[in-house]
Amino acid sequence: MDKNKIKKLLEEVRKGNKSIKEALTFLENLPFIDLGFAKIDSHRELRMGAPEAIYCMSKTTTQIIQIIEKMKNDSNILATRIPEKSMKEIEKTYPEAKLYPESKLAFIGKFPEKTIGKVIIVTAGTSDIPIARESEITAKSMGVGVETFFDVGISGIHRILSIRDKLKEADVVIVIAGMEGALPSVVAGLIDTPIIAVPTSIGYGANFKGIAPLLTMLNSCAPGITVVNIDNGYSAGFFAAAVIKKILKQET
Amino acid sequence: MDKNKIKKLLEEVRKGNKSIKEALTFLENLPFIDLGFAKIDSHRELRMGAPEAIYCMSKTTTQIIQIIEKMKNDSNILATRIPEKSMKEIEKTYPEAKLYPESKLAFIGKFPEKTIGKVIIVTAGTSDIPIARESEITAKSMGVGVETFFDVGISGIHRILSIRDKLKEADVVIVIAGMEGALPSVVAGLIDTPIIAVPTSIGYGANFKGIAPLLTMLNSCAPGITVVNIDNGYSAGFFAAAVIKKILKQET
Amino acid sequence: MDKNKIKKLLEEVRKGNKSIKEALTFLENLPFIDLGFAKIDSHRELRMGAPEAIYCMSKTTTQIIQIIEKMKNDSNILATRIPEKSMKEIEKTYPEAKLYPESKLAFIGKFPEKTIGKVIIVTAGTSDIPIARESEITAKSMGVGVETFFDVGISGIHRILSIRDKLKEADVVIVIAGMEGALPSVVAGLIDTPIIAVPTSIGYGANFKGIAPLLTMLNSCAPGITVVNIDNGYSAGFFAAAVIKKILKQET
Amino acid sequence: MDKNKIKKLLEEVRKGNKSIKEALTFLENLPFIDLGFAKIDSHRELRMGAPEAIYCMSKTTTQIIQIIEKMKNDSNILATRIPEKSMKEIEKTYPEAKLYPESKLAFIGKFPEKTIGKVIIVTAGTSDIPIARESEITAKSMGVGVETFFDVGISGIHRILSIRDKLKEADVVIVIAGMEGALPSVVAGLIDTPIIAVPTSIGYGANFKGIAPLLTMLNSCAPGITVVNIDNGYSAGFFAAAVIKKILKQET
Amino acid sequence: MDKNKIKKLLEEVRKGNKSIKEALTFLENLPFIDLGFAKIDSHRELRMGAPEAIYCMSKTTTQIIQIIEKMKNDSNILATRIPEKSMKEIEKTYPEAKLYPESKLAFIGKFPEKTIGKVIIVTAGTSDIPIARESEITAKSMGVGVETFFDVGISGIHRILSIRDKLKEADVVIVIAGMEGALPSVVAGLIDTPIIAVPTSIGYGANFKGIAPLLTMLNSCAPGITVVNIDNGYSAGFFAAAVIKKILKQET
Amino acid sequence: MDKNKIKKLLEEVRKGNKSIKEALTFLENLPFIDLGFAKIDSHRELRMGAPEAIYCMSKTTTQIIQIIEKMKNDSNILATRIPEKSMKEIEKTYPEAKLYPESKLAFIGKFPEKTIGKVIIVTAGTSDIPIARESEITAKSMGVGVETFFDVGISGIHRILSIRDKLKEADVVIVIAGMEGALPSVVAGLIDTPIIAVPTSIGYGANFKGIAPLLTMLNSCAPGITVVNIDNGYSAGFFAAAVIKKILKQET
Amino acid sequence: MDKNKIKKLLEEVRKGNKSIKEALTFLENLPFIDLGFAKIDSHRELRMGAPEAIYCMSKTTTQIIQIIEKMKNDSNILATRIPEKSMKEIEKTYPEAKLYPESKLAFIGKFPEKTIGKVIIVTAGTSDIPIARESEITAKSMGVGVETFFDVGISGIHRILSIRDKLKEADVVIVIAGMEGALPSVVAGLIDTPIIAVPTSIGYGANFKGIAPLLTMLNSCAPGITVVNIDNGYSAGFFAAAVIKKILKQET
Amino acid sequence: MDKNKIKKLLEEVRKGNKSIKEALTFLENLPFIDLGFAKIDSHRELRMGAPEAIYCMSKTTTQIIQIIEKMKNDSNILATRIPEKSMKEIEKTYPEAKLYPESKLAFIGKFPEKTIGKVIIVTAGTSDIPIARESEITAKSMGVGVETFFDVGISGIHRILSIRDKLKEADVVIVIAGMEGALPSVVAGLIDTPIIAVPTSIGYGANFKGIAPLLTMLNSCAPGITVVNIDNGYSAGFFAAAVIKKILKQET
């Protein structure tokens, strides 16, 4: 459309209907969106195969439903941090939606059938599973292969050792841990796969709602670990899927 | 060697020189290192093509030189956070070493001639360049293609906009910024390439030696950003190279 | 009145009814309020055309109603941070009041018909709108022109770019953002209008209830940005209106 | 120049030397800088009458001199946070420069002769003067009238009371304070002029290098106060001058 | 009683019924409480005329009532931080108790009729009154004269100026403030009476539940200010009364 | 079982059914768990005589009951941080369980009849008792002698002095304190028994949910104090019992 | 002088040389300092018998000497936080000055010969002595009796117990401690004298330059403790002397 | 001596030279030190076999030498945190002293020849060795067996796995780590020996001088870990030795 606007302008210039000065002025003041920015944005979603994501935390149920309505025909939708009330409304309105109430998550649409690459998601404890689910569904919705191993924290270190070979098969490993958050460092000591670490707010006292594991992960003595925000399973899943798709697309 | 030990044991078992019970006990108590762990470790370096890294901050010049001596025939060496005095000694001892004094960095060895993939490194300001260099040399030493764009911070937003197309070519973009650290968010708004954000301790007052940009990056509203420790250019470069090599190796 | 007191004193001195020493003592001990301080205070409100503001957070409904009752004939009233219960009582008691429940805000009175200057208020997300409303109503109640643009955050950077020309028309721009709070820096890179940045407590994890965007804004590498307290839309609106009125009044 | 490029393109289109499709592609891919962004940037400096500012903290003396050399014919230059060594070099190289060593500041160029508006800068203590000087020179270099009152902190409250009438004459008041940083709140209780508060790192113990006054200022119970980063006299001066120039230019 | 024990021992020694070695052993191992420590403790309460204080925050209603029961015949009782449920129970059980529900405070007993000295308590806002009441009742219960002035914060500085002469009459002034907590500094600039500053958790955003005013008060540039914990009206009242009684008792 | 696997392998090797190379490969890749890691883990519990501990905070009632069901025949069970709802369910399901609702604690099983060593647990206030109970039950369940002294804080220092001789009898003393947390330092000044300090979140204002006593304890000027996490009575009890059992077992 | 101005005005009014309106205007606009504020200020110093205090930390040697010169005939002078260089200059210029280099303190003048009241200053360690000296000299210079006990920290609790009777004689006790800062709480448990606690920055690790003892002191479970800023011996000494003089003056 | 004083008193009582009332008064006021407290203190050192420890950080060389002089005949001496200058002086004055300059440590005296128990000290990196040495020398000086393993951090996890059997032999394991401080958690997952964790300030960026590993260790999901202050090797060594000696002495 924007492209059409410019095309018409150029035609007018050629026809002599528009002076060069006029055209120049128009082009200089052309809103950036008209240069294709808006498209880039939706293109990005398309190219990445990522669903539209709605961060629901401070939105009303009405707002959330309206946004879903507007987008659901064009795109898969991933709604995160859904308040309890809104979750119930989504359940009623979209019976076909896949709901993950413990993760405050809903997916409306279809997961891609074909996947490329492989992300492995491990959690230190069972309490970290809701965050892991956020990573899992995000990556899955972007067409990447996902496998999960829960409750393999280091207090019983054999648990993580026993899946070492599995972990080596992954393109990227997402390690999710609360408490002291040492699991990513340990995993990084075992395998050479790049790790995305997700600190969770699980713990008490000097855990400070996730600051302790966040600092642990940032300070890891093992290279090859990057970190996302506390409890941000979504971002870890997105990055993991995006990096796989980006690298494979460019090379093939 | 360790393998040989086990081999000999098995031969003794076959010959009947060692009872099965004896062998069982030996195997159960076998130090883990004898199962190949130590090799795994060096294998990892070999497979990743990563140089041996020496973190020099709290080591004496003598210690640093000793470690280099011991490793320099087997591996490339990347020495980071080199104190001024030690830097001079390295310069004297290894005239062939590549030195980056502003980054407190030295590379002893040869960069791989053939590279795969492409990492682009951008900095917000000129003051962030020493950290960027750490990322650059690390990634380069691992055999990954690297391109750098310095001083493209958002106070003159056209600077980053003008290299947008370049950035799209990268497999991974490393964005390095001090002050308020907003550049990664802006870049994430422009391109669909995964971003590794490096906060730097450049700034004053409420910058708190890098805490401000660290928080900015962790809280980015754009998905697809992961973060490493303040001033940790090494880890960003390592992750970027590792993720490219991991993904490409598995698929090809 | 106070003035009259002093006038009478001086007349008594002239008439010789009061000794100079007596007058001197009186003047020395004259409570400062009698020199006009109290009036200055209400004058200030009048000159600025600002409504009386009631900060309701730790006040009882009864207290709030009493204060409104006492002031409502002399002045417009802006009640901020109204607890839910009190909001309902205000609604019942003053059906003519303009209520903004999501902003916990009520305005009792009439907005000035004539406005001078122009404040533009932008928010990064939809969740920031309640804070923006506080700025909007405050500035509007002081007789300043206000325009708002919501949800133009940098994750889709074309949104802010597309209103760049609009923003240039403003005397002052108020930029409101939670999460990582990078929008003010970006806006400052686009236009030369002074910016008042308002961090909001929207976000999670390492957002720390608004500390992350607060630090981002304080550390902005772009000059021409000043900052108010987390979620303090009122103060931003007040400052913006006050600075316009102050500067224009003095010059015209 | 960029404009010329587009002009030529349009002429080629008119002449039929370039197909519309070709032109379209060119325009779509036109680097943003070619649309005038770079100019906008320098235009901004010109329109604001602000000098080019060089933040010298992490730059080498050579870098600083090079930047000055490149810009000094086109623009006034304000160099801030100059390291001691570089200051000496600037003194030697530019004998005409105005140097403020205690503020680590240098101004190379001519202050505008005609000024508009009036900024008053007050400091709580004598130790805050170097920061105040940064504000003063910045505002002065932008062509705004400046007056300063130093050491009028609240421990002797009569000092600030005695200049109350003066303060009322200002368009904007910059209040600079370390220790507990209460002066802006007190000034805001005395006058109706908008206040920009600058916390300084002067103090000890629980001052935490300026965090205490920063928090004080952000939490001020008086409306009409905005805050800049700790010790950031430059940003306060810039904002004050910018807001005066912006508002007066648009109205006159 | 303890005294009697020792007396009896000495009598036994004199009579020769107990060997000196035996007595020596007994005395060496004498529990300290028997040397009068326990009495000292209750003596202290008696000498200071302070009521027994019960900090109720983490006690059950049953525990609170039991403690009151045990002490109420021997002493006045001041119960602080009473949970809502317990408050109701106290009201029912001790109809004669003086209750201050907004301060979560109850006084069971009689205030001393005769008072010495004078404490003046001022608050910055109306929201600080519950804390002030804690100081007031504590000091009053210890037999010290108390006067209160509420809502005299610095946003309307004439309010505090107008009571300056009153404040001078006090032996000690308790200044209670939330938000930015600047009132103690201002009062210290006006009078030469020692000040006890009480930060309150009133405020929002970067107030951080009282940390902002706490830091302000600790960093006050005016000497003669000491500080107690956030919201700790009890301790301020206790110190003020104790210092008056201590000093006057020793001298008269 | 795992042992059997290896045994069978060795037998196959002896019989010549398996080549040495095959066996070697198998052994190299043997999951670590097969080397006995998993057993080690349960062995540890057995050797230490510690009950299985379930941290219930973020588990559902169903999950908790399932875990208890699975383990209750093989081991004593200690469930900590039990949510209220789950506590009721445990009460109903296991009428024989020992419940400590104020400590959110349940013990299912039998305390060892014979104990060795002695741990003394002291608390500063009555509010610290629930945490103390966690230490007490943990240590008791591991077969160690426990004695408790509650409410012996330093505001009445004779209380702690009076039990000094008792404290000397302990092998390890656990000192639990909130508020300013000074009791461990005082106890360390009185006796030569090693001390484990537990900070609690009891207190208000600048207590910061236990950070104040945590820092106090970490900074104690007395040697021989180690610290566990805020409110972590479980870990203190476990360490105390473990150190006694470890040392006594090795020597006897 | 100011008084004279007003007197002359009143005389002019009486004589009819000045109209009442003229006088009124003059009085209304009279700078506050002319109403006696400046005198109040110096009066305060006189009444309190406090020396002029110069906070030297961020002043040049020249500035310090100039201030001393200007004041030394009218008042005793207490210079605090003197940089090393300035200390030497003061020594040279004022050979009669009393210097306390470890406390960065100088007193120029004469200590009052007659003293009233008694302040006792105790320190936990020898490292706290320089801060104690600041308190001591400040109080002494204000004419209050001072006694000191150093190195009586709680790691050897008998040290503080052995001076218990001495402490009881004081009107006010100043307790100075670094590390964990528990001494004030212990002293408060021993005596009924009001305590001013001074945290010092002595310690390491989690002491955080005095934050640990500051929090300890603020959270003390003993009432009757107030706190000043970290290392602020001056303010503690000033408050102690001021409160004694204020209370005794008003009653006698 | 003190004992003698009381003995004499009792003799005087028996003889009738002293009235019972007189004796009673004397005994009641007897300074606590006379009851044996001072002796207890030195007894403690003797019983524990611990050397006198001098914390040298804020002491002058003269003070340090004086203290050593006074004590060196009665006791072994352990001087910690010795400033460089003082270290040289100690070297000169006590040529027989054992010096550990990298640990800022000196031991003057003789290590006990016979040892009991066994402490194993492990460090994550080579940079942690100076802190480990502090633990080692402290424990050794108290007569406990010590073994050390350096640089066994988790980035190469086989290093710690390979010494697992060794670690099991210890009575107590001290684990020292900087960076992210995850090693204690990992060790706790491998062995059942109680662990004392020492965070070090080794690291950069978000390590925050040891806060990151401190939090990691406090939040460890493995029970049986206690923590000492950042870099406090002395306290860890002291606790480890003390707990072994205490437990073994009581039982044997």
Side-chain angles (χ1 to χ4, degrees), chain F residues 72-91:
Chain F
K72 77 165 198 279
N73 295 325
D74 299 332
S75 166
N76 286 334
I77 294 168
L78 186 67
T80 63
R81 312 271 156 170
I82 307 170
E84 217 180 310
K85 259 200 287 183
S86 305
M87 184 59 96
K88 283 181 186 152
E89 193 63 23
I90 291 175
E91 194 172 9

Coordinates of all heavy atoms in Angstrom, one line a residue, chain F residues 72-91:
Chain F
K72 N 6.8 -42.8 52.2 CA 6.5 -42.9 53.6 C 6.8 -44.3 54.1 O 7.0 -44.5 55.4 CB 5.1 -42.5 54.0 CG 4.0 -43.5 53.6 CD 2.7 -43.1 54.4 CE 1.8 -44.2 54.4 NZ 0.9 -44.3 53.2
N73 N 6.9 -45.3 53.3 CA 7.2 -46.6 53.8 C 8.7 -46.8 54.0 O 9.2 -47.7 54.7 CB 6.7 -47.7 52.9 CG 5.2 -47.7 52.9 OD1 4.6 -47.4 53.9 ND2 4.6 -47.9 51.7
D74 N 9.5 -46.1 53.2 CA 11.0 -46.3 53.2 C 11.7 -45.3 54.2 O 12.9 -45.6 54.5 CB 11.5 -46.0 51.8 CG 11.0 -47.0 50.8 OD1 10.6 -48.1 51.2 OD2 10.9 -46.7 49.6
S75 N 11.0 -44.3 54.6 CA 11.8 -43.3 55.2 C 10.9 -42.4 56.1 O 9.7 -42.3 55.9 CB 12.4 -42.4 54.1 OG 12.9 -41.2 54.7
N76 N 11.5 -41.8 57.1 CA 10.7 -40.7 57.8 C 10.6 -39.6 56.8 O 11.4 -39.4 55.9 CB 11.5 -40.2 59.0 CG 11.4 -41.2 60.2 OD1 10.5 -42.0 60.3 ND2 12.5 -41.2 61.0
I77 N 9.6 -38.7 57.0 CA 9.4 -37.6 56.1 C 9.3 -36.3 56.9 O 8.6 -36.3 57.9 CB 8.2 -37.8 55.3 CG1 8.4 -39.0 54.3 CG2 7.8 -36.6 54.4 CD1 7.1 -39.5 53.7
L78 N 10.0 -35.3 56.4 CA 9.9 -34.0 57.0 C 9.4 -33.0 56.0 O 10.1 -32.8 55.0 CB 11.2 -33.5 57.6 CG 11.2 -32.2 58.4 CD1 10.5 -32.4 59.7 CD2 12.7 -31.8 58.7
A79 N 8.2 -32.5 56.1 CA 7.6 -31.6 55.1 C 7.7 -30.2 55.7 O 7.2 -29.9 56.8 CB 6.2 -31.9 54.8
T80 N 8.3 -29.3 54.9 CA 8.5 -27.9 55.4 C 7.8 -26.9 54.6 O 7.4 -27.2 53.5 CB 10.0 -27.5 55.4 OG1 10.5 -27.5 54.0 CG2 10.9 -28.5 56.2
R81 N 7.6 -25.7 55.1 CA 6.9 -24.6 54.4 C 5.5 -25.1 53.8 O 5.3 -24.8 52.7 CB 7.7 -24.0 53.3 CG 9.1 -23.7 53.7 CD 9.2 -22.3 54.3 NE 10.4 -22.2 55.1 CZ 10.8 -21.1 55.6 NH1 10.3 -20.0 55.3 NH2 11.9 -21.1 56.4
I82 N 4.7 -25.8 54.6 CA 3.5 -26.3 54.1 C 2.4 -25.2 54.0 O 2.1 -24.6 55.0 CB 3.0 -27.4 55.0 CG1 4.1 -28.5 55.2 CG2 1.7 -28.1 54.4 CD1 3.7 -29.5 56.3
P83 N 1.8 -25.0 52.9 CA 0.7 -24.0 52.8 C -0.4 -24.5 53.7 O -0.6 -25.7 53.9 CB 0.3 -24.0 51.3 CG 1.5 -24.6 50.6 CD 2.2 -25.5 51.6
E84 N -1.2 -23.6 54.1 CA -2.3 -23.8 55.1 C -3.2 -25.0 54.6 O -3.5 -25.9 55.3 CB -3.1 -22.6 55.3 CG -3.6 -22.4 56.7 CD -4.4 -21.2 56.9 OE1 -3.9 -20.1 56.5 OE2 -5.5 -21.2 57.5
K85 N -3.6 -24.8 53.3 CA -4.6 -25.8 52.8 C -3.9 -27.2 52.8 O -4.6 -28.2 53.2 CB -4.9 -25.5 51.3 CG -6.2 -24.8 51.1 CD -6.8 -24.9 49.7 CE -6.0 -24.0 48.8 NZ -6.5 -24.0 47.4
S86 N -2.7 -27.3 52.4 CA -2.0 -28.6 52.4 C -1.9 -29.2 53.8 O -2.0 -30.4 54.0 CB -0.7 -28.5 51.7 OG -0.8 -27.9 50.4
M87 N -1.6 -28.3 54.7 CA -1.5 -28.7 56.1 C -2.8 -29.5 56.6 O -2.7 -30.5 57.2 CB -1.3 -27.5 57.0 CG -1.0 -27.8 58.5 SD 0.4 -28.9 58.7 CE 1.7 -27.7 59.1
K88 N -3.9 -28.9 56.2 CA -5.2 -29.5 56.6 C -5.3 -30.9 55.9 O -5.8 -31.9 56.6 CB -6.4 -28.6 56.2 CG -6.5 -27.5 57.2 CD -7.7 -26.6 56.8 CE -7.6 -25.4 57.7 NZ -8.2 -24.2 57.1
E89 N -4.9 -31.0 54.7 CA -5.0 -32.3 54.0 C -4.1 -33.3 54.6 O -4.5 -34.5 54.8 CB -4.7 -32.1 52.5 CG -5.0 -33.2 51.6 CD -6.5 -33.5 51.6 OE1 -7.3 -32.6 51.8 OE2 -6.9 -34.7 51.3
I90 N -2.9 -32.9 55.0 CA -2.0 -33.8 55.6 C -2.5 -34.3 56.9 O -2.5 -35.5 57.3 CB -0.6 -33.1 55.9 CG1 0.1 -32.9 54.5 CG2 0.3 -34.0 56.8 CD1 1.4 -32.1 54.6
E91 N -3.1 -33.4 57.7 CA -3.7 -33.7 59.0 C -4.8 -34.8 58.8 O -4.9 -35.8 59.6 CB -4.4 -32.5 59.6 CG -4.7 -32.7 61.1 CD -5.2 -31.4 61.7 OE1 -5.4 -30.4 60.9 OE2 -5.3 -31.3 62.9

